[in-house]
């Protein structure tokens, strides 16, 4: 039986998401921005919380963990490098490790840059990846604890996942990301189509995720730093992709 997901909003612009294994009944929350929306999602689905899989230590991804742990006695799995900054951790994982949710298996991918120990969870058999604040739809996370080359390398790991992998990220930032991306690639047809689609989704009160790796490759300028036209657009024709990425990220920070 394939995994089921349930997506919901938390805090100002965070996403929460549950992953459910129908065969065993196990259910994981990917991060826990705050407890109440997770509880509401459990009520709505009738699922029982068995796990919390944490992508990174920021408070808007971990604020609900202590309360959920107390109520559900769920297992909290966290990135090894950041475990000391995350409450109630039971298990730590690092690049290449497996994380289980009932019968579902996720491979852990280290994606440092936004934070030094940030990880993503890739359920390869389910074609699902939970990428926290590393990759957003048409965007990427701010490079806070790492360096731009480190973040670019992390994005390349995610870009290498199969095109039909569904991507769940930590924030609803898509429209702002699109506004910025159009300043670099105004003629990118996939990006323009995505702009129309995202506008329709938001106007209908719907989330703009999940997205897919295939769609992001075509339209997300942060995954396209090695496309010659993108390098040229930021005045860095012929320069290394990591340098182009750093410039695009800088421009977004200033936008
Ligand atoms: Zn963060």
């Amino acid at each position: 039986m394939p995994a089921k997901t349930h997506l919901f909003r938390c805090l100002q612009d965070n996403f929460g998401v549950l992953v459910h294994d129908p065969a065993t009944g196990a259910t994981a929350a990917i991060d826990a921005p705050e407890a109440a929306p997770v509880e509401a999602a459990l009520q709505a689905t009738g699922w029982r919380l068995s796990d919390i899989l944490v992508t990174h230590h920021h408070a808007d991804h971990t604020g609900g963990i202590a309360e959920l742990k107390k109520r559900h006695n769920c297992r909290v799995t966290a990135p090894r490098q950041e475990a000391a900054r995350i409450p109630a951790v039971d298990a730590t994982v690092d690049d290449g490790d497996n994380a289980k949710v009932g019968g579902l298996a996720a491979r852990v991918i280290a994606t440092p840059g936004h934070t030094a120990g940030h990880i993503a969870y890739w359920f390869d058999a389910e074609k699902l990846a939970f990428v926290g604040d590393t990759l957003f739809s048409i965007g990427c996370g701010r490079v806070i604890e790492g360096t731009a080359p480190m973040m670019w390398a992390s994005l390349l790991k995610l870009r290498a996942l199969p095109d039909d992998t569904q991507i769940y990220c930590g924030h609803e930032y898509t429209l702002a990301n699109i506004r910025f991306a159009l300043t670099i690639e105004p003629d990118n047809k996939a990006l323009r189509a995505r702009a129309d689609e995202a506008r329709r989704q938001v106007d209908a009160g719907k989330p703009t995720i999940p997205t897919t790796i295939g769609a992001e490759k075509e339209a997300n300028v942060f995954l396209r730093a090695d496309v010659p036209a993108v390098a040229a657009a930021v005045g860095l024709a012929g320069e290394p992709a990591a340098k182009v990425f750093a410039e695009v990220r800088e421009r977004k920070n200033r936008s």
Side-chain angles (χ1 to χ4, degrees), residues 192-211:
R192 296 172 72 103
R194 180 73 173 115
D196 291 342
E197 181 194 31
R199 171 48 67 192
R200 279 197 302 274
Q201 289 170 318
V202 170
D203 285 349
K206 294 192 172 131
T208 61
I209 70 160
T211 179

Side-chain angles (χ1 to χ4, degrees), residues 138-213:
I138 320 296
C140 76
R142 277 179 187 269
V143 181
I144 298 172
E145 295 177 10
T147 64
M150 188 187 286
M151 188 69 160
W152 172 242
S154 293
L155 290 171
L156 287 181
K157 286 187 190 176
L158 298 177
R159 195 178 74 173
L161 298 180
D163 280 354
D164 59 354
T165 307
Q166 301 216 40
I167 299 296
Y168 286 85
C169 57
H171 291 271
E172 179 58 274
Y173 289 158
T174 307
L175 287 184
N177 289 340
I178 288 170
R179 270 196 300 279
F180 169 75
L182 282 168
T183 67
I184 312 264
E185 290 195 284
D187 300 323
N188 180 327
K189 284 202 177 67
L191 175 58
R192 296 172 72 103
R194 180 73 173 115
D196 291 342
E197 181 194 31
R199 171 48 67 192
R200 279 197 302 274
Q201 289 170 318
V202 170
D203 285 349
K206 294 192 172 131
T208 61
I209 70 160
T211 179
T212 65
I213 285 295

Side-chain angles (χ1 to χ4, degrees), residues 56 58 60-61 114 133:
H56 67 294
H58 284 160
D60 64 323
H61 292 254
H114 177 68
D133 287 357

Side-chain angles (χ1 to χ4, degrees), residues 54 77-81 91-95 97-99 108 117 119 121:
V54 184
T77 300
R80 187 159 301 145
Q81 279 190 56
T92 66
V93 287
D94 208 342
D95 194 52
D97 287 343
N98 282 306
V108 174
I119 59 175
Y121 296 91

